[in-house]
Amino acid sequence: MPSKRNIFIWVLGLFLFTAPLTGFGQSKESTLSNRGGNCSIFTPKAFTPNDDGVNDLFTIRSSEHCMPMTFTLKIFDRWGRLVYQTDRINEHWDGNYDGQRVREGVYLWTLSASFENSTSGEVTTLDDKGSIVVLR
């Protein structure tokens, strides 16, 4: 049985890496991006909200020493319906909308945030968008 591990990389720059998803027979890419300033965010490309305790939440993480000053995350289904919204970086989407599990598929997200690096005091403003695949 494969071990359950989380891998976090906190290096400035734009990187692509591939990790095998056991049981799916394929790999998925995730991107660690630095979009202005010295604060980075990590956004996964897929998650599996199936209550098995592994990869059940869509989570956006910021690099070490970066504290959110403002944060708005919105997730939309393929018809443009808002299925999730938060203004807190520590809240995570569990793949539900209105108390029901969403269907498998691609969902779009938008993020508007500003972060302050607690070491340098530099402020980074991010306006970003992407997609997340829900796999059950």
Side-chain angles (χ1 to χ4, degrees):
M1 176 175 224
S3 63
K4 299 174 185 175
R5 297 182 197 173
N6 291 322
I7 300 172
F8 297 100
I9 303 170
W10 301 117
V11 179
L12 295 179
L14 179 61
F15 303 91
L16 294 177
F17 62 94
T18 303
L21 294 174
T22 305
F24 292 103
Q26 59 182 342
S27 297
K28 293 289 179 189
E29 279 184 353
S30 291
T31 303
L32 177 67
S33 59
N34 177 31
R35 298 199 168 96
N38 59 3
C39 287
S40 300
I41 59 167
F42 170 78
T43 57
K45 296 288 186 190
F47 77 121
T48 57
N50 57 8
D51 299 324
D52 67 355
V54 178
N55 201 26
D56 285 332
L57 301 172
F58 174 66
T59 303
I60 291 183
R61 300 198 186 272
S62 64
S63 54
E64 189 177 11
H65 305 296
C66 291
M67 303 298 132
M69 297 169 58
T70 62
F71 183 89
T72 302
L73 171 66
K74 296 178 182 181
I75 301 175
F76 302 89
D77 66 15
R78 64 181 174 177
W79 296 281
R81 178 178 56 186
L82 181 67
V83 297
Y84 180 78
Q85 180 175 345
T86 185
D87 60 0
R88 297 184 190 133
I89 195 170
N90 294 328
E91 287 185 3
H92 317 290
W93 185 41
D94 62 2
N96 289 318
Y97 170 67
D98 202 20
Q100 301 290 320
R101 289 181 167 189
V102 298
R103 292 182 174 197
E104 283 190 335
V106 178
Y107 292 77
L108 305 177
W109 58 263
T110 62
L111 173 67
S112 180
S114 61
F115 297 89
E116 180 178 11
N117 184 304
S118 61
T119 307
S120 70
E122 184 176 346
V123 175
T124 300
T125 300
L126 298 169
D127 288 299
D128 207 353
K129 59 187 172 185
S131 61
I132 182 73
V133 178
V134 174
L135 302 169
R136 298 257 183 219

